[in-house]
Structures are given as C-alpha cells and as structure tokens.
Amino acid sequence: MGINTDQAQAQAQECASVLDALADKPKTARSARAPQTRKRTAIVLGAGGTVGIAFHAGVLKAMADAGLDPAAADLVVGTSAGAIVGSIMRVGNDLDLVWAMAHEDHNPFAENQPFFRPEVVFSQGWRTPIGLARRVAGSAYVLHRTVVRWPAVRPPLSLQHFYRAGIGSVTEQRMEFANWAGEEWPEEELALCSFDIVTGQRVVLGSPHNPRPALPDAMRAASAVPLLYPPIRVGRRLLVDGAVKSSTNVDVAVEAGAELIVVAAPQSFDPDHTPPIHLRASKELFNRQLDRELRAAEKAGVRVLAIRPTVTESHAHGLNLLRSGGHSQTADLSREHSSEVLNTPEGRSFARAWKASGAARADTQVAS
C-alpha cells in the first residue's frame, strides 16, 4: 500500500525528537473530583494487544447474549486494545464487526487481507543501522520516562534531535484505525486513556478538560506501547499507551459518576483461576492494580462486574499478545466464561440493575 506525501510528512513529524516537548511542558491536568453529569452505566475495556481485542469481542458478545446492549452504555472507557474496540463500537459499528475481527481472515477494508494485517501490528520503522540506533536510544528514554522516572535524565540539547522513539512504523496503523472508526469522535461518551511522558500524568482523551485530536490519533495515543511504537504528539503533550498508568483505569469511570461498571481485563487473571507462574508473571502487577481499583470503586458505592481470564483462557492468550492471527479460540473462550459470570447470582443481579437503568433512561428520554 503506497504512502502519499501528507502521510510521509505526518510520519516524519511523529518520529521527531521525543524530547522536543520537554522544552514546552504542558500544565498538569487534574482530574475533576465532582462529576458534572452522572453516568449510570459504563464499560471499561482494558489493555491486551490483539489478543485483548479478541477477549473484548467475547465479553461484548456475551453481554449482548444476556440482553445487555454494550453500545447503550452511558460511558465507554478504553485503554490500549480497549481504546481500539471501544472506538469501533462507539462510532456505531455493529458488534459483529468486532466479533469478525477475531474469527475471520477477510478484511472488509483491504482486499485479500486479514483483519490484523502484520504491517498494521508492526512494520519496521528504520532503514539503516544508524536509524535503528536512534530509535533504540529514543525508546530507552521513553521507557525511562514511563517506568523508572528517576533520576530525571536530561540529555544535552545538542543531542535531543537524535532521539526517535519507537522501533515500529505506525503509518499503516493510522490508516487502518481511520478505516475502522473514521475521523470524528462519536456523540456518545468515550474516554481513551493515555500517558504523558513529559508530565508523568495520565491524560484522558475525550474528556472536556483535554484536547480532542482526530479519533484515529487518539486511538494511537492510547495504544502506543513504549519501545514498540513512537509516542503521539497531541498539542504540547507527548502520549503513550495508557496501560503505563493502569491496564484498566477503572477510576476514570468512577470519577465520571458511573454507578454500574462492567470491566473486561484481559491482562489480569481470575482470582479463582490462577494461571501458572510463567503466564502469571506478566499479569501480576496489572492484577494488583485492578484489585486496588475495584476496592476503591466498592468504597465509593459503585457496583463493578469484573471479567478476567481463566487458566484456560490464559493458556490460549499465551505470551505473544500482539500476534496477527489465531484469535478465534480466545474470543470463544471469553464469550463462554463471560456468559458464566453473567449467569452467577451476582451477575444476574448486576444484569437486572443494568436493564433497570436502561429502562429508566429510556423513560427519561421519552418524558423529555
């Protein structure tokens, strides 16, 4: 697929110095503690790569099977893979599109291509050894800013333009996201979680307190895995994957005033179905963070139904969460387990409350 001049210029701009933004540091945005409008229902879709997209497909399908329309939620919060799925669903696409992404090889937007084209998941972003060195150096700095953050290393100004973070190219990715979700933000509430490497703060795109780039760029910012993809510049901010802060960011929905939240957390694991150590190691920190978020939500009086992978699902996920194929089993297992969760006494009670909330909202709309 060819790249036109505008796309080439955009690629060159986004691959520019990861330190340029440090000279123009944005003010740190503070989360609003008092929600302006209550959101009765919310869906929180967590990080998890292409495997996470398939996991979300199963969760959403199970919700629809149980009579809970995911598209009718008052708020959708997405992080990384969840930002992609949430955007696709929120702009009005049928849930069958997300389901097809996990089950079909046919891509309706690219002839004779699978849904997850390898060049969209990852394509080489350098041409020479020097180019690779620049990207590795820049990526190391991004990792420092997102993970370690101490000591506060500031390379000399003369070296700052050397850094080009992200070993992969995202030109194809941006085009694909535009095909999936379009350029415009949906009218319904959508919050995409990213992380500003300059301020060290989470940035929720879609919030009235933060800028709204074109939707594909917001999707990229919320899923720009450090080291793999370059940070995305939005105004004076330099943004990477929101999973740096949390793989789920449940507190975004809580602070928005949600009363009922469904959380799909592919990078966590079901506490009743603990996977073996080699599969649990990469999930442990995310799982603990989710547990803290669930306790905080419970303390705030919010009902949360968390859906996490079982041991069988964890084995199906494997360690390569960004593979370009073999996702049908993940989606099928996710749908089966999610249906089981929704059929427990807690799940049925939650579903009744969700449906009652939808009915109350419909009555309010009719009355107005």
Side-chain angles (χ1 to χ4, degrees):
M1 185 176 293
I3 301 176
N4 61 33
T5 303
D6 292 340
Q7 292 166 349
Q9 292 176 346
Q11 184 178 13
Q13 182 178 4
E14 70 192 9
C15 291
S17 167
V18 300
L19 299 179
D20 284 347
L22 291 177
D24 192 21
K25 184 174 181 179
K27 296 180 179 179
T28 301
R30 297 182 178 180
S31 299
R33 294 298 177 185
Q36 296 180 346
T37 305
R38 294 198 66 80
K39 315 292 187 302
R40 290 183 175 180
T41 57
I43 296 177
V44 174
L45 303 173
T50 56
V51 170
I53 292 176
F55 180 85
H56 293 322
V59 173
L60 298 176
K61 196 73 168 177
M63 288 183 65
D65 293 342
L68 310 180
D69 182 7
D74 294 313
L75 171 67
V76 173
V77 177
T79 303
S80 198
I84 296 170
V85 173
S87 299
I88 292 171
M89 177 181 70
R90 213 56 168 160
V91 297
N93 287 308
D94 193 283
L95 289 179
D96 286 340
L97 175 64
V98 181
W99 185 251
M101 293 175 76
H103 284 82
E104 297 180 9
D105 288 333
H106 174 66
N107 188 325
F109 307 112
E111 188 176 356
N112 298 323
Q113 291 286 345
F115 252 116
F116 296 111
R117 292 184 289 143
E119 61 268 30
V120 172
V121 178
F122 178 81
S123 60
Q124 183 174 305
W126 72 92
R127 294 183 178 179
T128 66
I130 293 178
L132 175 60
R134 297 175 73 180
R135 289 178 177 275
V136 169
S139 298
Y141 185 79
V142 171
L143 285 175
H144 166 75
R145 296 291 298 180
T146 56
V147 180
V148 183
R149 297 192 58 78
W150 187 90
V153 177
R154 295 268 184 134
L157 290 174
S158 59
L159 295 179
Q160 289 185 11
H161 289 285
F162 178 83
Y163 291 89
R164 294 178 181 272
I167 61 175
S169 170
V170 294
T171 302
E172 291 282 345
Q173 190 181 80
R174 205 270 181 205
M175 295 166 61
E176 195 79 335
F177 286 174
N179 285 334
W180 290 347
E183 297 283 344
E184 302 297 328
W185 282 76
E187 294 182 3
E188 293 78 8
E189 298 263 4
L190 173 65
L192 306 184
C193 299
S194 61
F195 183 87
D196 186 347
I197 69 170
V198 179
T199 63
Q201 299 291 323
R202 178 178 62 199
V203 175
V204 181
L205 300 171
S207 163
H209 307 290
N210 292 309
R212 269 191 175 187
L215 185 56
D217 294 321
M219 294 165 68
R220 290 162 62 218
S223 59
V225 180
L227 178 62
L228 189 61
Y229 303 129
I232 304 302
R233 184 184 293 275
V234 176
R236 292 187 295 171
R237 301 188 182 279
L238 209 56
L239 305 179
V240 296
D241 196 316
V244 168
K245 172 69 168 56
S246 165
S247 71
T248 45
N249 292 290
V250 177
D251 58 312
V252 172
V254 174
E255 289 187 8
E259 299 167 339
L260 299 165
I261 302 175
V262 174
V263 180
Q267 282 197 307
S268 184
F269 57 85
D270 193 311
D272 296 327
H273 302 271
T274 305
I277 185 65
H278 72 284
L279 294 174
R280 191 171 71 242
S282 62
K283 298 174 178 284
E284 190 66 46
L285 291 178
F286 295 121
N287 203 60
R288 293 181 182 180
Q289 176 67 32
L290 176 57
D291 285 339
R292 288 193 292 268
E293 293 173 355
L294 295 179
R295 288 194 294 269
E298 182 180 6
K299 186 176 180 180
V302 178
R303 294 185 64 179
V304 181
L305 187 68
I307 301 177
R308 317 190 220 191
T310 63
V311 175
T312 303
E313 289 179 273
S314 295
H315 279 288
H317 292 187
L319 297 177
N320 180 10
L321 300 181
L322 284 169
R323 58 183 183 269
S324 58
H327 297 299
S328 59
Q329 183 185 19
T330 294
D332 291 338
L333 289 172
S334 174
R335 181 181 186 181
E336 179 182 343
H337 176 58
S338 300
S339 296
E340 292 173 354
V341 172
L342 288 166
N343 200 37
T344 62
E346 178 188 1
R348 290 195 295 270
S349 174
F350 184 93
R352 286 193 295 270
W354 184 286
K355 292 175 182 177
S357 174
R361 179 173 58 249
D363 289 343
T364 301
Q365 293 173 345
V366 171
S368 61

